[in-house]
């Protein structure tokens, strides 16, 4: 089996670990140590999803539990914050864990100063909402509301701290308003193409082009309802990649599979250890190896460099 580099911009594995009380070595996880060992170098963004029950201290303690788990398996994975840390881990032969928060505005006791605490704890990526509207912005369920006044201030604080904005789950109105407030490169960590599959969680062509023009990224989501087709699998994922490629987005496409956060998986892509099959398929379609490696790793790695201090 060919060994590819790997950078996945979104999984919900922390939440699944907490719910099921399992460790990173658990075979019940779609992202686990065995799966990540299939790639070199390896980066996985681990997002903590706030369903509305996590207070500030819960968020910080959850991240600390996860960091402790990384220390338990320090020969295989280590928490890092930077591209330099990723390079060091690759040299040491271990995967890198980056941290993210999903649905920042769902926190019951949210205060804008919490962002500083989360940044200090090592969080590199934040999304404001999940599918529903909250105190920061509108979500894709109603897909009508935009940013709130507090949401605008949060984006300004994120920009100042060079925290990456994840626009996945934001309403269309929130997305376009965020473009005006947050002028750094932004990322849709786990979204696909709305032209290929007409779902509000996917990006329109214009949204993708706006992201790409700013040096941002889109991580292709593997969740079947976002892919379209009957029993979607690798071919449907490729259809989304090829659509964005046709828009000139070769440097703005990566993987954001959404493992451990969905009720079903794409055929042939049931866990992170099988994502190499997608890369194999792209090579079989005469994609250049350099292009495949960019989608697999280097596009997101280059994007992350925009946020280095």
């Amino acid at each position: 089996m060919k060994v590819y580099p790997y950078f996945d911009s979104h999984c919900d594995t922390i939440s699944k670990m907490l719910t099921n009380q399992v460790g990173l070595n658990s075979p019940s996880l779609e992202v686990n140590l065995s799966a990540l060992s299939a790639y070199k170098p390896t980066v996985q963004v681990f997002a903590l999803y706030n369903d509305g029950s996590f207070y500030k201290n819960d968020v910080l303690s959850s991240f600390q539990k996860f960091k402790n788990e990384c220390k338990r398996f320090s020969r295989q994975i280590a928490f890092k914050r930077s591209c330099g840390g990723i390079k060091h881990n690759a040299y040491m032969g271990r995967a890198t864990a980056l941290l993210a928060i999903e649905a920042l505005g769902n926190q019951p006791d949210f205060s804008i100063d919490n962002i500083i605490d989360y940044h200090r704890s090592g969080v590199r990526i934040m999304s404001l909402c999940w599918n529903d509207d909250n105190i920061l912005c509108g979500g894709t369920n109603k897909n009508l509301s935009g940013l709130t006044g507090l949401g605008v201030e949060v984006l300004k604080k994120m920009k100042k701290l060079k925290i990456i904005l994840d626009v996945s789950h934001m309403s269309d109105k929130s997305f376009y308003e965020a473009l005006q407030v947050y002028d750094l490169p932004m990322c849709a960590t786990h979204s696909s193409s709305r032209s290929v599959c007409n779902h509000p969680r996917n990006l329109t062509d214009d949204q993708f082009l706006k992201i790409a023009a700013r040096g941002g990224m889109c991580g292709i989501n593997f969740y079947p309802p976002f892919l379209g087709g009957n029993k979607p699998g690798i071919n449907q994922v490729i259809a989304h990649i090829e659509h964005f490629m046709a828009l000139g987005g070769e440097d703005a496409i990566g993987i954001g599979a959404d493992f451990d956060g969905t009720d079903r998986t794409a055929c042939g892509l049931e866990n992170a250890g099988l994502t190499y099959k997608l890369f194999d398929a792209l090579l079989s379609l005469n994609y250049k190896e350099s292009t495949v490696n960019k989608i697999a790793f280097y596009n997101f790695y280059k994007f992350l460099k925009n946020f280095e201090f």
Side-chain angles (χ1 to χ4, degrees), residues 85-126:
I86 292 170
K87 288 180 68 174
H88 177 71
N89 276 350
Y91 175 77
M92 297 298 292
R94 59 194 179 198
T96 294
L98 299 179
L99 296 181
I101 291 177
E102 183 174 31
L104 180 70
N106 285 0
Q107 181 184 312
D109 62 343
F110 177 76
S111 165
I112 194 166
D113 290 336
N114 297 160
I115 298 172
I116 299 172
D117 298 312
Y118 298 149
H119 180 254
R120 286 174 180 163
S121 74
V123 174
R124 300 305 316 274
I125 303 172
M126 295 182 185

Side-chain angles (χ1 to χ4, degrees), residues 189-227:
T189 62
H190 55 304
S191 298
S192 297
S193 167
R194 204 178 301 182
S195 290
V196 177
C197 178
N198 187 22
H199 194 290
R201 268 286 286 109
N202 288 335
L203 297 174
T204 66
D205 289 355
D206 185 67
Q207 287 173 331
F208 176 78
L209 289 170
K210 291 286 194 304
I211 290 171
R214 194 176 281 187
M217 283 292 300
C218 172
I220 302 296
N221 195 315
F222 293 177
Y223 185 44
F226 302 161
L227 296 175

Side-chain angles (χ1 to χ4, degrees), residues 14-162:
I14 292 179
S15 298
K16 195 169 182 178
M17 289 169 63
L18 292 171
T19 300
N20 296 349
Q21 297 185 352
V22 297
L24 264 174
N25 61 338
S26 172
S28 67
L29 298 172
E30 293 161 8
V31 174
N32 58 32
L33 296 175
S34 176
L36 295 178
S37 69
Y39 312 99
K40 303 290 181 190
T42 312
V43 179
Q44 177 67 60
V45 178
F46 290 86
L48 176 65
Y49 165 55
N50 195 328
D51 61 1
S53 65
F54 285 77
Y55 290 74
K56 172 193 167 183
N57 288 340
D58 299 321
V59 173
L60 292 173
S61 65
S62 296
F63 281 135
Q64 189 56 55
K65 288 178 183 177
F66 178 75
K67 291 176 188 176
N68 291 342
E69 185 70 1
C70 289
K71 289 178 182 178
R72 188 160 77 99
F73 296 102
S74 59
R75 291 186 178 182
Q76 295 156 276
I77 190 169
F79 156 72
K80 296 293 182 182
R81 305 167 186 254
S82 67
C83 290
I86 292 170
K87 288 180 68 174
H88 177 71
N89 276 350
Y91 175 77
M92 297 298 292
R94 59 194 179 198
T96 294
L98 299 179
L99 296 181
I101 291 177
E102 183 174 31
L104 180 70
N106 285 0
Q107 181 184 312
D109 62 343
F110 177 76
S111 165
I112 194 166
D113 290 336
N114 297 160
I115 298 172
I116 299 172
D117 298 312
Y118 298 149
H119 180 254
R120 286 174 180 163
S121 74
V123 174
R124 300 305 316 274
I125 303 172
M126 295 182 185
S127 73
L128 303 191
C129 69
W130 194 59
N131 291 331
D132 296 316
D133 298 359
N134 64 23
I135 60 172
L136 301 183
C137 72
T140 55
N141 270 351
K142 294 181 179 178
N143 207 18
L144 295 173
S145 303
L147 294 175
T148 66
L150 181 57
V152 170
E153 295 307 308
V154 164
L155 290 184
K156 289 178 180 177
K157 178 70 75 173
M158 288 173 61
K159 175 185 171 183
K160 183 177 181 180
L161 294 172
K162 299 191 85 171

